Amino acid sequence: MSNNNIPRWNLDSLYPSLDSKEYKNDLSELENTFSLLQDMLNKADKNNFPEWLNSYINLLNKESSLLKTLQAFAYIIYSTDTTNPLFMNNLNKMDDYDAQSTQLYIKFSEILAENKDKLENFYKKYPEKKEYSYLLNEIIEDKKHQMSAAEEALASKMSHTGSSAWSLLQEQIISNLKDENGKTFNELRNDANEASPELRKKSWEKEIELLAQNRIAFGAALNNLKGEKIALNEKRGWKEGIDNALFNSRLSKNTLNALIGAIEDSLPMWRKYFQAKAAILRKNGLTQSKTAGTKEHPGIAFYDLFAPVEKPNALGNSNSLISKKWTFKEACDYVVDEYNSFSKNMGDFAKNAIENQWIDAEVRPGKVGGAYDEDFPKGHQSRILSNFTGTFSDIITLAHELGHAFHFSCIKNKAPLFFNYPMTLAETASTFAETIVKQDMIEKSQGNDRMKILDLDLTDASQVLVDILCRFYFEESVFQARKSSELTADDFCRLMQEAQEKSYGNGLNDEKTADGKNYTERHEYMWAVKSHYYIPELDFYNFPYAFGQLFAAGLYQRAKKEGSDFAKTYEMLLSQTGSMSCEELCLKAGFDITKKDFWKSGIEMYAKEVEEYCKF
Ligand SMILES: [Zn+2]
């Protein structure tokens, strides 16, 4: 435990340190496995292909387990101490392992594609391997989008000084930005949730000032990252940036179009919500904006998007669950109780995760912002990073990340190759966990608290649907524009403004500067803040969250109808997420996700909330 009993995690059951015997053993074990795989690839036997493939898959599981564990470990220790040269070097070393693994993978996919007519025979001989068929077919499909082995090797090596390096730069700048008083960038961003209208506005101004000071570096990073990706996509035969992302998400274009279409149809409802919130803030004297929420400019100021709403007579009510400052212990107990209300398995899981010190929640300089869950095949355990400040949304974050970890625990009986599930389904598990907490809270609350929790839910959902649509538009336009020219910070700001207008529209304050060129109260630097845009392997990182949000809403409604029986179905669903396409998996639970109607049913839940909210 550290200050205020906000914990740092305990890593002993992973590795005591980088110098430890355990760590060094696993490194050499991994290197050993690499050479065994290489040997097998050299001696691939076409005449005894089923036997060969069977042994190869077994060894591949071992490689996958070691590599995933070592990589995740390298990342998590770095992420809490981003300027530590030892941790940075270690993280770079993982890139080399990754490159080796990719080399082996490329060779394997060649052999697999050459021998695909022997697969039927393989499954006949090894029926227990039938469950690998989706993965093996995926590898054969992926083969069509590979450059030659030598080109892939070079691309992977060059990425260390290219895309991966640009990505690290963005992360390092963000985690080391501070204001004059030593307040970190993430603390400034957290102020968006604060009750004080002055503080929200001041921190937003400071945030933009700090970003603008580094605009050249951010712009260069994003420009070069996307430039590299476009060149590679072209070489690999992906027509559009999104095609690669869809393949990685195990999702069809039809499904994406249905999802995006449903969100676009719901935009008028979301804008109504933003305007209602702006009006509530204005009416109760809770905004510093001169124009937001007025007749001429009905939209909300960007810095008020996360503002807590209050009725004036309820201010200072310290009994409220939503506005009080939570201790970490209270937050944990609350999440465990809520999980228990859905299933004992889920509740017990969260309790164990907390007791085993899997969570690093303390805010400190040098640590990355936001939150994540990392899963480790070694000992089948997870670690969760968050930046806990005691707000209600920190509890939701905790529920979200523990939901990811619970997902991983449901897959315990599968082989390591099934641990790689697409983000779409990963985000469903975490959002479902969030939904349990929030919906229960709405049900239990009344009056001012009810307004506040509805607002919190709608804020989160609108971030996941409207803001993610905005990010989707932005990224699409970046890919389009970057094809024909280099892009600067100015371009990114312009494209972000356009994307915000297309998604939020007059839900955000539309007041402009005197020259009519810029909006006065929006955030044209969001492209510099969100690290998602800077992850080399993950374009269009964001739509899976929208998928998860609406799919989780659908699952939640099912859970309410079916009661405790649904917990079993849910765990079964999670346990199979690594083995098939999203469409196939969702059909198993009775959902046709290629249809817009399905996604609209998820939005229904929020439409009802907006309707009630507008009456406050
Ligand atoms: Zn998540």
Side-chain angles (χ1 to χ4, degrees):
M1 289 281 171
S2 60
N3 59 330
N4 301 326
N5 292 327
I6 299 177
R8 298 186 181 191
W9 50 35
N10 184 329
L11 302 179
D12 289 350
S13 60
L14 285 162
Y15 303 107
S17 72
L18 290 182
D19 292 326
S20 64
K21 210 169 67 198
E22 293 88 338
Y23 188 77
K24 286 177 180 158
N25 272 348
D26 274 5
L27 278 185
S28 70
E29 192 63 16
L30 177 64
E31 283 168 17
N32 194 24
T33 309
F34 280 151
S35 26
L36 290 173
L37 285 167
Q38 186 64 60
D39 276 356
M40 281 199 73
L41 290 171
N42 295 340
K43 292 183 214 141
D45 186 351
K46 279 179 192 159
N47 297 321
N48 291 306
F49 185 72
E51 291 76 8
W52 180 86
L53 184 58
N54 187 48
S55 313
Y56 197 85
I57 288 176
N58 293 341
L59 203 52
L60 211 51
N61 271 315
K62 187 174 176 192
E63 183 221 36
S64 170
S65 170
L66 283 163
L67 186 61
K68 195 165 166 18
T69 298
L70 289 164
Q71 278 180 328
F73 185 74
Y75 181 71
I76 70 163
I77 56 174
Y78 157 80
S79 72
T80 52
D81 193 1
T82 53
T83 52
N84 183 323
L86 203 67
F87 293 170
M88 274 179 66
N89 284 338
N90 187 56
L91 193 61
N92 284 335
K93 194 156 94 187
M94 291 304 138
D95 285 346
D96 294 335
Y97 289 130
D98 208 40
Q100 283 191 58
S101 173
T102 304
Q103 278 305 293
L104 294 166
Y105 170 82
I106 290 169
K107 187 70 194 156
F108 173 60
S109 64
E110 270 169 26
I111 294 172
L112 194 63
E114 278 165 23
N115 293 281
K116 62 173 182 236
D117 55 327
K118 302 192 181 78
L119 279 175
E120 269 321 301
N121 206 6
F122 166 67
Y123 298 132
K124 219 177 272 167
K125 202 151 189 180
Y126 300 96
E128 78 279 7
K129 290 287 194 300
K130 184 80 187 140
E131 64 172 337
Y132 287 82
S133 65
Y134 181 82
L135 296 188
L136 295 177
N137 288 337
E138 191 177 47
I139 294 171
I140 292 168
E141 183 60 30
D142 190 30
K143 168 78 187 70
K144 296 176 190 158
H145 296 286
Q146 278 167 18
M147 304 183 288
S148 73
E151 285 169 327
E152 287 291 351
L154 183 63
S156 166
K157 198 161 178 103
M158 297 302 287
S159 78
H160 303 178
T161 49
S163 52
S164 299
W166 291 113
S167 172
L168 273 183
L169 176 67
Q170 187 267 351
E171 202 161 278
Q172 284 166 354
I173 297 177
I174 290 284
S175 41
N176 288 286
L177 288 180
K178 283 188 193 83
D179 76 356
E180 304 76 33
N181 306 315
K183 205 173 203 179
T184 67
F185 186 75
N186 294 320
E187 285 169 328
L188 283 169
R189 278 192 57 75
N190 276 336
D191 286 345
N193 302 297
E194 289 291 329
S196 156
E198 294 82 10
L199 183 59
R200 287 198 305 269
K201 186 172 185 185
K202 227 179 86 201
S203 293
W204 166 81
E205 281 166 349
K206 183 47 87 179
E207 175 187 334
I208 292 189
E209 185 190 318
L210 289 172
L211 294 169
Q213 281 166 5
N214 290 279
R215 69 200 306 274
I216 294 177
F218 287 130
L222 194 54
N223 176 58
N224 291 324
L225 256 159
K226 293 302 176 200
E228 180 180 307
K229 196 54 190 276
I230 286 168
L232 287 172
N233 275 346
E234 207 177 281
K235 263 309 256 184
R236 288 174 177 146
W238 297 110
K239 263 170 98 188
E240 303 293 335
I242 188 73
D243 295 340
N244 186 10
L246 285 169
F247 180 75
N248 291 336
S249 296
R250 296 181 178 161
L251 200 68
S252 75
K253 193 132 193 188
N254 276 343
T255 303
L256 178 71
N257 288 340
L259 170 66
I260 295 286
I263 301 174
E264 284 174 334
D265 289 351
S266 73
L267 285 176
M269 167 196 102
W270 291 111
R271 290 173 185 173
K272 214 169 100 187
Y273 158 67
F274 293 129
Q275 294 183 359
K277 178 161 183 170
I280 288 172
L281 292 174
R282 175 151 302 282
K283 191 169 75 189
N284 297 319
L286 296 173
T287 180
Q288 277 282 295
S289 173
K290 293 204 172 64
T291 52
T294 60
K295 221 175 186 161
E296 302 73 47
H297 303 287
I300 193 167
F302 197 93
Y303 52 81
D304 285 338
L305 276 171
F306 297 92
V309 290
E310 294 282 357
K311 292 182 174 174
N313 55 0
L315 276 171
N317 171 10
S318 58
N319 292 327
S320 163
L321 284 177
I322 299 153
S323 41
K324 76 167 196 165
K325 201 100 173 160
W326 291 66
T327 66
F328 187 72
K329 166 107 180 36
E330 287 169 335
C332 288
D333 291 347
Y334 188 74
V335 171
V336 170
D337 281 351
E338 289 292 331
Y339 273 25
N340 268 325
S341 76
F342 174 66
S343 84
K344 185 165 182 312
N345 276 356
M346 213 164 142
D348 286 350
F349 171 81
K351 194 163 171 273
N352 282 334
I354 295 156
E355 281 171 7
N356 292 331
Q357 295 172 269
W358 283 6
I359 304 172
D360 192 301
E362 183 198 32
V363 180
R364 58 186 182 273
K367 175 173 165 177
V368 297
Y372 67 70
D373 162 70
E374 278 284 353
D375 303 322
F376 298 84
K378 180 181 174 177
H380 212 92
Q381 52 187 313
S382 302
R383 288 298 181 279
I384 287 160
L385 175 140
S386 73
N387 285 275
F388 187 86
T389 57
T391 64
F392 191 73
S393 71
D394 289 335
I395 297 172
I396 302 298
T397 300
L398 202 59
H400 178 105
E401 301 306 338
L402 278 166
H404 280 306
F406 177 68
H407 183 182
F408 184 60
S409 79
C410 289
I411 282 183
K412 196 166 185 167
N413 296 325
K414 298 265 178 182
L417 287 175
F418 296 107
F419 296 168
N420 294 319
Y421 30 84
M423 274 198 43
T424 37
L425 299 170
E427 288 315 316
T428 299
S430 52
T431 312
F432 181 73
E434 271 188 41
T435 308
I436 292 172
V437 175
K438 284 194 251 181
Q439 291 299 315
D440 182 56
M441 195 73 189
I442 291 173
E443 223 162 274
K444 282 181 187 154
S445 60
Q446 290 166 337
N448 190 51
D449 259 14
R450 190 170 175 101
M451 174 174 81
K452 288 169 73 70
I453 179 77
L454 276 176
D455 183 66
L456 194 81
D457 194 35
L458 289 170
T459 300
D460 287 351
S462 62
Q463 279 299 299
V464 174
L465 300 173
V466 184
D467 200 72
I468 276 172
L469 184 63
C470 172
R471 298 178 209 185
F472 182 80
Y473 288 147
F474 172 74
E475 211 160 349
E476 216 171 35
S477 67
V478 167
F479 267 100
Q480 213 50 43
R482 185 64 183 83
K483 269 187 202 161
S484 49
S485 74
E486 304 277 331
L487 300 175
T488 63
D490 278 344
D491 295 313
F492 292 125
C493 285
R494 176 176 48 81
L495 294 174
M496 184 51 80
Q497 275 189 17
E498 287 170 11
Q500 283 176 357
E501 179 56 20
K502 223 172 131 186
S503 49
Y504 287 90
N506 64 2
L508 280 179
N509 187 357
D510 54 8
E511 186 197 40
K512 288 192 163 182
T513 50
D515 61 7
K517 281 190 181 143
N518 291 300
Y519 293 100
T520 54
E521 295 194 322
R522 294 189 181 183
H523 196 321
E524 61 190 42
Y525 278 99
M526 279 309 286
W527 57 271
V529 179
K530 292 285 169 193
S531 58
H532 303 156
Y533 298 126
Y534 298 79
I535 303 176
E537 324 68 59
L538 281 177
D539 302 313
F540 296 95
Y541 176 85
N542 294 297
F543 72 82
Y545 285 93
F547 179 104
Q549 185 79 30
L550 292 182
F551 191 39
L555 288 176
Y556 181 77
Q557 271 150 351
R558 265 279 292 280
K560 276 190 90 172
K561 225 190 289 166
E562 290 180 24
S564 56
D565 288 350
F566 184 72
K568 274 207 182 75
T569 313
Y570 180 63
E571 284 176 32
M572 179 278 294
L573 204 67
L574 294 187
S575 75
Q576 297 189 14
T577 44
S579 332
M580 59 193 78
S581 75
C582 295
E583 284 82 5
E584 208 182 325
L585 184 78
C586 295
L587 262 187
K588 281 200 159 198
F591 299 120
D592 182 1
I593 61 174
T594 60
K595 300 277 184 324
K596 208 152 110 175
D597 280 350
F598 164 70
W599 299 106
K600 287 195 160 168
S601 74
I603 288 172
E604 264 319 287
M605 187 171 100
Y606 298 109
K608 283 195 196 112
E609 290 180 21
V610 171
E611 206 179 306
E612 184 181 345
Y613 185 82
C614 285
K615 291 180 191 144
F616 284 115

